[in-house]
Amino acid sequence: LYTHYTCLVYIYFFFFFFQAEDGIRDAQESRGLGDVYKRQGINAEYGGRSEPMMDGSEARTRPHKLTLDALKKCHGLLRPLERVSQYASFFPREDVTDQEIDAKPHVLLLGQYSTGKTTMINRLIGEGCRPADWNAHVGPEPTTDGFTAVTHGAGRCLHGHEATVASWLPYQGLPKFGPRMTDKFRVACLESGEGSLLRSVTFVDTPGVLSGEKQRTSRGYDFAATARWFAERADLVLLLFDADKLDISDEFKAVIQNLRGLDNRVRCVLNKADQIDSSRLVRVYGALMYNVGKILQTPEVTRVFLWAPGSEPPHPDPNPHPNTDPGGLFGEDEQELMGHIRNLSQHSLGLKIDDLVCRAR
């Protein structure tokens, strides 16, 4: 039975893709699956897609739609095999729904309280949106008390169970964490301009990770497991650290450890880096790389981006080095990170195919 289903999945997968590619062009010879991805770069402005739709999502080219349809059907072929082999008993990854396959790329932000997660999302969205537009608050105290998915839409907010039962959203699996978690979740649909990242990316803001056993038990739901659920469905996970508060609490350590196996999606961001002088920045940067690498237990050095919100003037460096240019370094890291987020719409499809191949194997 296992061999039968495996062969059936692979045969259907490759047959569908090659037939889809042959049907796109009338009198031209097909060059296989790789040519499909090359053709997705037709319109770089919209990440290989033709034009934005009225609902804020982006209209996909025909090869992209055919690929998504193939992924849905292949996952449908895998489900009977997974039930027979009790796949969920060996691997905690749940079944992939059609809504998750159709969803836009997601960027998940995790960090301790007051590390600038909400402020960073607002800056990535653009000048046209403010935290108050999506019921967010910014302050030195723990202000975010729930999970908020910020996406493009008609300017309304879906709360709790309304957001988890919406057929056009990929959050149907959240109720398993209990009603307390569902009550703390909302989807903010904001009207954004043509150049906004919300047209192609959804940002997920999270509560600040607390310290102490009492704070962890008072949540009413498993925060680390919920963060893992979002991370498995996200295309990029940003771990935010405050340059002035580099200590990692026990709960945040548990959250980071729970991200093992998703190392290719995790990036570290040292926020408020412009608030410390150059000599201290070097020490903090090195300590952060060592600590996160030790928690994740990865042989590779974790990539750390420097992020400077620029809300206050940077502290003067009493001993400036002639080769040091903090402003230029901050700008380079910010542009690299934003460029990586903009390109998620092109790489998201590859991650979904990779997930399918891993499940089939």
Side-chain angles (χ1 to χ4, degrees), residues 296-319:
L296 289 175
Q297 296 182 355
T298 56
E300 297 82 8
V301 178
T302 306
R303 177 69 167 95
V304 178
F305 291 93
L306 299 179
W307 189 267
S311 58
E312 298 178 7
H315 290 267
D317 192 348
N319 300 310

Side-chain angles (χ1 to χ4, degrees), residues 171-194:
Y171 309 116
Q172 286 79 11
L174 282 177
K176 74 170 188 175
F177 296 104
R180 188 72 177 271
M181 166 58 210
T182 307
D183 293 339
K184 293 292 184 180
F185 176 69
R186 64 176 180 265
V187 178
C189 304
L190 305 182
E191 298 179 0
S192 56
E194 293 292 337

